[in-house]
Amino acid sequence: MTRPEVAAERKSLVYERSGGPVRGSDLPAELTLRDPGHCCCCGREKAEQTIWNRLHQLKALKTRRPRSRVPLRIGILGCMAERLKEEILNREKMVDILAGPDAYRDLPRLLAVAESGQQAANVLLSLDETYADVMPVQTSASATSAFVSIMRGCDNMCSYCIVPFTRGRERSRPIASILEEVKKLSEQVILPPRPPKVLGLQGLKEVTLLGQNVNSFRDNSEVQFNNAVPTNLSRGFTTNYKTKQGGLRFAHLLDQVSRVDPEMRIRFTSPHPKDFPDEVLQLIHERDNICKQIHLPAQSGSSRVLEAMRRGYSREAYVELVHHIRESIPGVSLSSDFIAGFCGETEEDHVQTVSLLREVQYNMGFLFAYSMRQKTRAYHRLKDDVPEEVKLRRLEELITIFREEATKANQTSVGCTQLVLVEGLSKRSATDLCGRNDGNLKVIFPDAEMEDVNNPGLRVRAQPGDYVLVKITSASSQTLRGHVLCRTTLRDSSAYC
């Protein structure tokens, strides 16, 4: 921070997300800010418990800190701060600063208040805050990918979901600011951990467009595009709100972002199934650098439960969309979210969810047992009547079926050559490298010399940020393995894959 009262001498800061610290998590810094991370964290009981556990660890550091040193300040950022403000501030008095997801600009003032020994909080939600003028700073010199936030909030009001209450209503960044950020990422140099024989400076190779309901993006900042053109929804899908009109939509943004750098992969998450009109699917099919991977959250395979969840579609409409996507984008990789044990879910409803997992055969999945959250429609109108042991049993059954079907789906890649973006050394073997294919599956392969197709006769070793061709030799529910063939480019790889 640049404010004099905050930028005191000898002051240091540790910023953490729910997955761990950016740096020095175990060091007693003067200020620790904790962000629960992606919006789903505040909707998952286990994720919240992780935050409480970490706070207790920090409290111990705070208690042991010598009086001769600057006092340790602890802060929580994001939607958990908004949702549990009173409990966090009052529970053992361990937290000094609370900043909701729309209050980050107020951090200098909050820090100054905390310096005076008072607790400081701002969890007010905004109708227009998108942080469009705040460009993130990449902290990892060897990073190959980055997230770019394009919109905030959600209007869907699914009965189980707390996001509209912790993140506010939907608002999108102007396309111009998104393109500016993507261009800067494209130009940002990746520093390899080991010097290659030929050092070609390159920018980040993958960008994921991020939002709570990313494909409902709508840029209303340019008046000439605020006409009366209605929104095109997926066939058989409805909304819980009045249909919106005008603005530059997700297909236009995706088109513009994919043109910034043909060698940069483009992904997006998390979408809602209702917002996949044909123009989006056609664009994904046509552009080589838009990944052929779609996250399609189903949540349940029972039309009765989907109605209780207020998802806006039936099982039949969802399955029809799956078929349409696979026809429009041959070879597409699909992933999904499922909730086990939602309010009123019967064994028959559960069996229908199991059958959907078998029918669709997803490549990746994210499965959770339902945990009710205050403020949601389900909290006020439904009964959390599925016993915990039944939820967990059903969840285990879903996980087992998912793994079986994902293994089958992923085994179709054995014998195929796939383009892989190298991320670095494998966590389990110092002699292997890992990366991700177009479908976002992890691919493990030996760290060996290979030919560079753009420099005939030159033997190279893969670096983070390189595209390599890998022939797949085995597959599991989560990982592919193979042997590397050569280093290439995204544009040149189509001749081999």
Side-chain angles (χ1 to χ4, degrees):
M1 298 297 174
T2 56
R3 290 173 59 135
E5 63 268 33
V6 176
E9 189 177 2
R10 294 170 53 241
K11 195 161 300 291
S12 64
L13 177 148
V14 172
Y15 173 80
E16 303 180 7
R17 289 180 64 86
S18 59
V22 173
R23 63 176 180 85
S25 66
D26 297 320
L27 299 178
E30 277 71 45
L31 172 66
T32 295
L33 297 177
R34 178 111 184 143
D35 182 349
H38 192 271
C39 65
C40 69
C41 286
C42 73
R44 309 293 182 197
E45 188 174 5
K46 183 177 179 181
E48 286 189 357
Q49 190 56 49
T50 300
I51 303 298
W52 287 119
N53 292 342
R54 183 58 179 148
L55 284 175
H56 283 294
Q57 295 171 8
L58 293 172
K59 181 187 177 184
L61 285 177
K62 191 173 186 178
T63 303
R64 295 197 305 264
R65 193 171 186 83
R67 292 181 178 273
S68 59
R69 296 190 61 184
V70 177
L72 175 68
R73 308 295 183 193
I74 301 172
I76 294 183
L77 315 180
C79 49
M80 184 174 170
E82 190 281 332
R83 195 178 84 80
L84 299 175
K85 173 187 173 183
E86 298 300 329
E87 184 176 359
I88 292 172
L89 289 178
N90 296 328
R91 189 166 169 175
E92 302 185 54
K93 305 291 183 181
M94 67 178 85
V95 174
D96 304 284
I97 299 165
L98 278 184
D102 294 340
Y104 298 158
R105 295 181 193 272
D106 197 30
L107 276 173
R109 184 188 68 82
L110 296 175
L111 291 168
V113 171
E115 283 296 293
S116 69
Q118 304 177 65
Q119 288 182 312
N122 181 350
V123 295
L124 295 176
L125 294 177
S126 168
L127 292 175
D128 52 17
E129 179 62 87
T130 64
Y131 299 109
D133 59 332
V134 179
M135 290 295 165
V137 176
Q138 286 290 110
T139 57
S140 174
S142 61
T144 61
S145 60
F147 291 99
V148 173
S149 178
I150 68 168
M151 56 90 68
R152 299 173 69 81
C154 182
D155 291 345
N156 288 319
M157 303 297 288
C158 299
S159 62
Y160 57 83
C161 186
I162 199 170
V163 169
F165 305 99
T166 59
R167 294 281 182 172
R169 292 307 179 94
E170 289 178 9
R171 61 269 191 206
S172 301
R173 284 176 63 181
I175 286 181
S177 74
I178 297 171
L179 293 178
E180 179 185 358
E181 184 174 345
V182 173
K183 288 174 182 175
K184 287 183 178 179
L185 292 170
S186 174
E187 296 165 357
Q188 181 170 309
V189 173
I190 300 174
L191 298 179
R194 59 189 182 198
K197 291 181 179 179
V198 177
L199 181 61
L201 298 181
Q202 55 186 356
L204 295 185
K205 289 298 186 69
E206 184 176 280
V207 159
T208 300
L209 305 179
L210 198 63
Q212 276 79 29
N213 192 27
V214 67
N215 55 340
S216 71
F217 176 88
R218 179 189 306 274
D219 176 11
N220 290 312
S221 64
E222 299 187 43
V223 177
Q224 66 268 33
F225 295 108
N226 288 339
N227 49 39
V229 177
T231 300
N232 292 324
L233 299 179
S234 306
R235 289 194 292 269
F237 287 68
T238 61
T239 65
N240 292 323
Y241 50 82
K242 184 178 179 181
T243 302
K244 301 173 184 178
Q245 298 183 338
L248 294 172
R249 304 308 315 278
F250 185 64
H252 181 86
L253 172 67
L254 199 56
D255 170 58
Q256 293 299 303
V257 169
S258 68
R259 294 176 185 272
V260 170
D261 183 353
E263 288 297 310
M264 176 183 276
R265 275 179 171 172
I266 309 300
R267 301 186 189 276
F268 56 89
T269 198
S270 179
H272 190 286
K274 77 179 190 315
D275 290 307
F276 277 108
D278 286 347
E279 53 264 34
V280 171
L281 301 180
Q282 182 178 350
L283 189 63
I284 295 172
H285 172 62
E286 291 176 353
R287 294 288 161 83
D288 289 338
N289 64 332
I290 301 179
C291 291
K292 310 303 182 279
Q293 180 250 328
I294 290 179
H295 187 59
L296 206 62
Q299 307 301 358
S300 175
S302 164
S303 293
R304 193 186 69 81
V305 173
L306 289 170
E307 184 177 3
M309 290 178 166
R310 303 183 83 228
R311 290 291 289 169
Y313 54 86
S314 64
R315 175 197 174 105
E316 291 73 24
Y318 180 89
V319 171
E320 181 181 344
L321 176 61
V322 168
H323 292 323
H324 183 55
I325 289 174
R326 284 179 165 159
E327 290 170 358
S328 304
I329 312 170
V332 67
S333 173
L334 295 181
S335 59
S336 192
D337 296 338
F338 285 92
I339 297 173
F342 184 66
C343 305
E345 183 187 73
T346 64
E347 281 300 316
E348 176 56 30
D349 295 324
H350 171 63
V351 168
Q352 290 182 39
T353 300
V354 169
S355 71
L356 183 64
L357 282 168
R358 291 200 185 279
E359 181 176 358
V360 176
Q361 207 171 71
Y362 300 96
N363 299 88
M364 298 177 66
F366 305 90
L367 298 86
F368 306 92
Y370 176 65
S371 56
M372 183 172 275
R373 286 290 175 261
Q374 294 180 10
K375 298 185 180 180
T376 63
R377 186 182 180 93
Y379 179 80
H380 291 291
R381 304 200 179 187
L382 301 177
K383 186 177 180 181
D384 188 8
D385 54 0
V386 180
E388 191 66 22
E389 63 271 17
V390 175
K391 291 180 183 179
L392 295 178
R393 189 257 300 166
R394 290 177 183 174
L395 175 61
E396 287 302 315
E397 290 177 4
L398 294 182
I399 291 173
T400 298
I401 299 303
F402 159 72
R403 286 176 176 167
E404 291 176 1
E405 298 304 320
T407 299
K408 294 175 186 176
N410 295 338
Q411 282 176 343
T412 62
S413 298
V414 175
C416 298
T417 298
Q418 296 195 348
L419 181 69
V420 175
L421 176 59
V422 180
E423 294 179 341
L425 286 173
S426 169
K427 292 181 180 179
R428 296 189 176 184
S429 171
T431 61
D432 289 336
L433 295 175
C434 73
R436 293 190 180 270
N437 66 3
D438 194 69
N440 208 27
L441 272 175
K442 184 179 292 185
V443 181
I444 308 294
F445 55 94
D447 181 7
E449 282 196 343
M450 73 196 80
E451 180 185 355
D452 185 336
V453 296
N454 290 315
N455 295 281
L458 178 65
R459 304 289 292 179
V460 297
R461 298 181 85 90
Q463 303 287 336
D466 284 346
Y467 287 114
V468 297
L469 293 176
V470 176
K471 186 167 185 177
I472 305 303
T473 57
S474 65
S476 69
S477 63
Q478 297 178 302
T479 306
L480 302 179
R481 287 186 172 272
H483 61 263
V484 69
L485 301 177
C486 61
R487 185 167 72 179
T488 184
T489 64
L490 196 155
R491 282 173 288 190
D492 293 337
S493 66
S494 58
Y496 302 91
C497 299

